[in-house]
Structure formats: structure tokens, C-alpha cells
Amino acid sequence: MSLRRASIDRISGGLFDVLVVGGGINGAVSAAALAGRGASVALVDRGDFGGFTSQESSNLVWGGFKYLEHYELPLVLGLCRSRNRLMKAYPDNVREISFLAALDRSAPYRPWFAGLGARAYWAIGLFGTRRPHVFDAAEVKAEEPAIDTATVRGGIQYQDAYLVDNDSRFVFSFVRSAIEAGAAAANYVELVGAERLGDRWECRLRDTDTGEELSTSARVLVNAAGPFVDGLNTSWGLTTEHRIVHSKGIHLVVPRLTTHRHDRVLAFFDDTRRLFYVIPMGRRSVIGTTDTRVDTPLTHVTDEDRDFLLGQLNARLDLPRQLTRDDVIAERSGVRPLVVRRGSGDQADADWTSLSRRHEIERDDAHAVVTVFGGKLTDCLNVGEEVADDVEALGIPLEKDLRNWYGEPARATRAEFFRQARLMHLDALRTRPETEPLSDRLWRRYGRRAFELLEAIRADPGMGEDVMGSADYLRAELHTAAEHEMVVTLDDFMRRRSKIDLVVPDRDIVGSPGLREVAEILFGADADRRLSDYLDSKTTTAPVDNP
């Protein structure tokens, strides 16, 4: 029986302390925090875990340097502390990275003043990163030759952090933590309706993959539906103090642009004096983001979006040739769910670009509902802890928070894995100089389960072979995904459990002889259907949104 099937069977007809609705970062971290403190938890999402807003992030874990412009010091302090906690808890997944901001005539600040801000940011972050620096134009060019410094006055370098793998995989790590602590979690399970009867919620659910209908009960509901929280609360008859407005942001993935030997984020002010970035992603660069007010969470990248970002980038980098739409390997488009108070419509419109990514959590005692508004990946641990506090205030007894519901395995466990990997010469299986060592990659992605991969490769050397060439995914990893990672569609694996769809051009994916084997390992007898669905999505000309 698959992990997902077992979870659905547990959810069906069950009674839980808490039902978490929404499997993005807010829902996943809430489920992990609650299950880790002894609550009985069910987690459902009508799509895949991390499959909507949480898969469209910049992959940055940052304290919000730009929020200093609006003097949001408490927000920056909280985000920096959360960033520092994540770097400490996930040293192989969340790593410190330099931001090099080139300040030209379109920038609103001179380098010396931006340098003061960078030092203040470093101090607010409790000196948890390396110290910042101020550069003149010549030093900016020496640090990163790809920058066109013809109009650059100078620059600053400060530190934040980033996710080495993709955002959705990080979200799934919290889902796994919740499951390991006893939670039942199922993707592609939609909440059709919920009614408060006595001391519990009676909920109707539907498996969107098979059409199966089921029901479950919970004493408390956690609404972690991201940009859809308002509609869900309305369907339950709730009135809240806050609401969500939507800001569309896009990223374009292109071939690697930077020439520096170390990973580094480049930052520029665009012609509207808004920051945009060039973010490393292995052999690729991610450029973005935009900030467009939209009325719906369902978005896609337009030609106007593409041309704007490419134009801004071409004007600021010294490239052998200018980037065009043909250089775009993949695209991301999502909405930031921004929090405003109800009745503040005019103010929200007037101060649109100044709205921050703060979160608000509301507790409705009469209905036993906790709602998470807004937030960002950096703040996820704070969200989990605050949701747990509110659930406890609603009468669900929780164990003391030992903070063991998040983080990578202990150092001794890590050391033992690398010892075994060294003894079996795991890294010798890869000879290409541009790829990271297999031992690093497997430990970061799988933690304790990486031992199972070593065992599989020992038993069958074929398990250590790449299935899709440049995708850099071992056959053993596919078997692990099939068994442990609740993959329902091929897109779940290609886009979220891995980042293959983000870094490999579609033509190479579709033409790969290993793609069918990927589908066969993941889906067995159902491989043909799943592969056909995936290929159909690749040939669809209109943008496809996943609500």
C-alpha cells in the first residue's frame, strides 16, 4: 500500500485534533509543529504539496533588507532571527550567500548610504552572517565581471541565505516531518465542505485524482490555504479582521549569467526603482521578480513580463550577446498573498508596493478555526510555533515544544553517512567537474533516508546511474520518490520533488530516452497514462494554472 493511500484510509472516517487545509509552506509547517507536539493531525491539499504559491518563490531565505526603506524594523528583526534559525537547523539546505548590489543612476541611494543600511541590517540580524562591504565601481567590476559598470557609482555586498534545492522540496520536508510524527497527510484531496456540529467540524473531502469521496472530523481547523484563505473562511461563515490582496511576481530561468566562481546573488534597481535579482541555481540563473497588482491568484507569465525583465537585465549586464525569449529555459509565475486590514482598500491601493510579506494569524474561538494570512518561507518556523500556540489556546493539549519537529539530522548521523559514502567511493561515480559530489547531494535531499540509497547502490550498482543524463537524478532516487514522496503526477516529481523542469529545457526532457523509465519507476502499470498527461501539458500552447 502506498504512503498516500494509507494516509487517505486513516483520514477517512477519522477524528483528529486538527485538520490543516493547505499544503504550502504555512500548512506544512503547521502540521509539523502540531504533530511534533503530540496532536493528532490530518493535512490535505487539493493539489500537490508546495504546488501553488510555495513553488514560485525566489528560493531566498532573507531578512527583508528592502523593508528597512519603510522602517519596518520589528519585521526585519523577526525575519533575520528566523533566517538565522533556519541556517542553523538546516546547514546543508539553507546556506549563507552574498548579495552584490550594483548602484547605478537609477538607484535611489548612493553607495555610502546603502552601506550604512547594510551595516544596520547586519546588526539587526544579530551579526549572524559575514560583515557587509562597500565597493566603488572598479571593485564591483572586479567582483563580478558580468556587470556593466559604465553607469555604476558603486555597490554594496551583504549576506543573506538561500535554498540549495527548490522551494517545494523544502516544503515537503515539513510534510515528511509531520508524517514521521504521526500525522496523516494526503495531496490531491480537496475539502468540499465543512460544518461545525457540537464540539467538532464534520468535513467532506474528495480525492481529486480518483474522484473518491470521504469524510473526516476534527476539533480544530487550520486554514492555511495561502491566497485562497478568504474564500475558505467565507464558506465557513467566518468574519476576519484581515484579508488578502494579491501581488503577481514572475521569475525567468536562463543559462548561467555570472562568471564568479562562487554562488552570489546580483541585485539591481530597475527603471521603476524596484529591486530585481539574478539568483544562482546550479548551472542556471534565475532573474526576477516583478510586482503587479492582480485580482486573482491564477496567473501566468506574459510577453510583457518577459520583455520587461530581459530588457532590464540586458541594460545592466555586460553579456556576449543580449538575452532573448529564446534563452528562457523555464518560467515561474505566482502571487504573494499580502495582508491588509479589512476596510483598508483605498490604502492598500495607494501603498501597493510598500506592502510587506508579514504574516498575521487569527484565532476564532467560537468556530475553533485558526487562519494564517500572508507570510513567506523565511518566516515559516515562527508561523508553525504561533499556530501551535493558538491551537493549544482552543483547548487542544500539546506537549512542550522541544523544537525537534524541524531541522536536519544530528551531526553524528551526518558524519556516519559521509563515512559510509567515502568507504564505498560514492563520489567516484561522478566525474564531471561542474556537478557537486553525490554524497553532498544525497544527504541534503534525503537526510536519514540517504542511508537507504547507499544500501540500494551497494546491492545494485545500476541504482547509482543517472536516469535522464543532464537531469542528475539517480535510479535509486526515483525508487525512493515512488515509495516515500507521494508522487501522484509526473509533474509532482519533475517540478516539485526535483527541479528538473526548472533547469532542463523542455525539448531535452521530452526527447530524453530516460523519461519513460522515470514514469515506469514512479507509477508502474499506470506509467503510460501519467506520461501521456505530462507530455500533453508540455505541448499545450495556452498557459496552464494549477489552482
Side-chain angles (χ1 to χ4, degrees), residues 18 20 29-41 222 384 387-388 391-392 398:
V18 185
V20 180
V29 77
S30 297
L34 290 163
R37 295 184 59 184
S40 60
V41 177
V222 171
V387 167
V391 166
E392 190 171 32
L398 299 179

Side-chain angles (χ1 to χ4, degrees), residues 10-41:
R10 283 185 57 202
I11 292 170
S12 181
L15 171 61
F16 295 88
D17 292 328
V18 185
L19 172 64
V20 180
V21 183
I25 187 60
N26 288 339
V29 77
S30 297
L34 290 163
R37 295 184 59 184
S40 60
V41 177

Side-chain angles (χ1 to χ4, degrees), residues 64 107 136 231 233 241 292 312 364 432 466 468 497 510 513:
D136 62 25
N233 280 336
E241 295 180 7
T292 309
Q312 297 298 311
D364 187 313
R432 285 182 294 175
D466 282 328
M468 291 183 61
R497 304 301 182 273
V510 173

Side-chain angles (χ1 to χ4, degrees), residues 285-326:
S285 291
V286 182
I287 59 175
T289 177
T290 57
D291 190 355
T292 309
R293 177 71 183 267
V294 292
D295 295 325
T296 173
L298 307 176
T299 65
H300 62 272
V301 181
T302 66
D303 285 342
E304 183 180 3
D305 296 327
R306 297 181 188 98
D307 292 342
F308 175 78
L309 275 183
L310 292 172
Q312 297 298 311
L313 189 73
N314 285 326
R316 288 162 177 81
L317 290 187
D318 185 11
L319 300 174
R321 64 173 182 81
Q322 297 220 321
L323 288 179
T324 69
R325 296 180 194 173
D326 291 337

Side-chain angles (χ1 to χ4, degrees), residues 146-168:
I147 297 175
D148 183 353
T149 56
T151 61
V152 169
R153 295 170 172 171
I156 61 169
Q157 180 171 285
Y158 64 96
Q159 306 296 123
D160 259 311
Y162 78 121
L163 284 170
V164 180
D165 275 316
N166 60 330
D167 42 15
S168 293

Side-chain angles (χ1 to χ4, degrees), residues 339-494:
V339 188
V340 297
R341 286 193 170 272
R342 291 196 178 275
S344 61
D346 294 340
Q347 181 182 1
D349 290 336
D351 300 336
W352 171 248
T353 58
S354 68
L355 292 176
S356 65
R357 297 290 303 279
R358 65 187 176 89
H359 72 267
E360 296 285 349
I361 297 179
E362 288 193 34
R363 186 182 76 235
D364 187 313
D365 292 355
H367 294 87
V369 173
V370 176
T371 302
V372 185
F373 293 92
K376 57 187 298 181
L377 189 149
T378 305
D379 216 14
C380 64
L381 299 183
N382 293 333
V383 169
E385 290 169 345
E386 292 172 32
V387 167
D389 288 344
D390 276 339
V391 166
E392 190 171 32
L394 290 172
I396 303 299
L398 299 179
E399 299 169 0
K400 182 180 179 180
D401 188 0
L402 300 177
R403 296 188 171 182
N404 56 1
W405 47 272
Y406 65 89
E408 294 173 4
R411 291 182 181 178
T413 307
R414 182 186 190 278
E416 175 58 21
F417 170 79
F418 278 91
R419 186 187 74 85
Q420 292 190 28
R422 184 180 67 255
L423 291 175
M424 64 183 289
H425 306 291
L426 179 70
D427 292 340
L429 296 178
R430 291 293 171 276
T431 57
R432 285 182 294 175
E434 73 275 11
T435 58
E436 68 174 325
L438 271 180
S439 52
D440 291 348
R441 191 176 91 195
L442 297 185
W443 175 257
R444 184 181 66 249
R445 287 178 180 171
Y446 303 102
R448 293 184 189 89
R449 283 184 291 129
F451 287 97
E452 299 175 16
L453 297 175
L454 295 185
E455 196 62 38
I457 295 170
R458 287 191 194 102
D460 178 3
M463 287 290 185
E465 296 174 354
D466 282 328
V467 177
M468 291 183 61
S470 62
D472 288 332
Y473 246 82
L474 305 184
R475 191 168 283 109
E477 292 182 87
L478 268 296
H479 286 278
T480 294
E483 185 174 353
H484 298 291
E485 298 191 348
M486 303 177 78
V487 175
V488 176
T489 72
L490 191 50
D491 189 59
D492 296 343
F493 174 76
M494 300 292 287

Side-chain angles (χ1 to χ4, degrees), residues 6-62:
S7 290
I8 290 176
D9 288 346
R10 283 185 57 202
I11 292 170
S12 181
L15 171 61
F16 295 88
D17 292 328
V18 185
L19 172 64
V20 180
V21 183
I25 187 60
N26 288 339
V29 77
S30 297
L34 290 163
R37 295 184 59 184
S40 60
V41 177
L43 168 66
V44 297
D45 191 289
R46 64 180 176 180
D48 190 25
F49 299 121
F52 199 73
T53 297
S54 292
Q55 75 171 4
E56 312 292 356
S57 82
S58 61
N59 275 31
L60 297 176
V61 180
W62 51 356

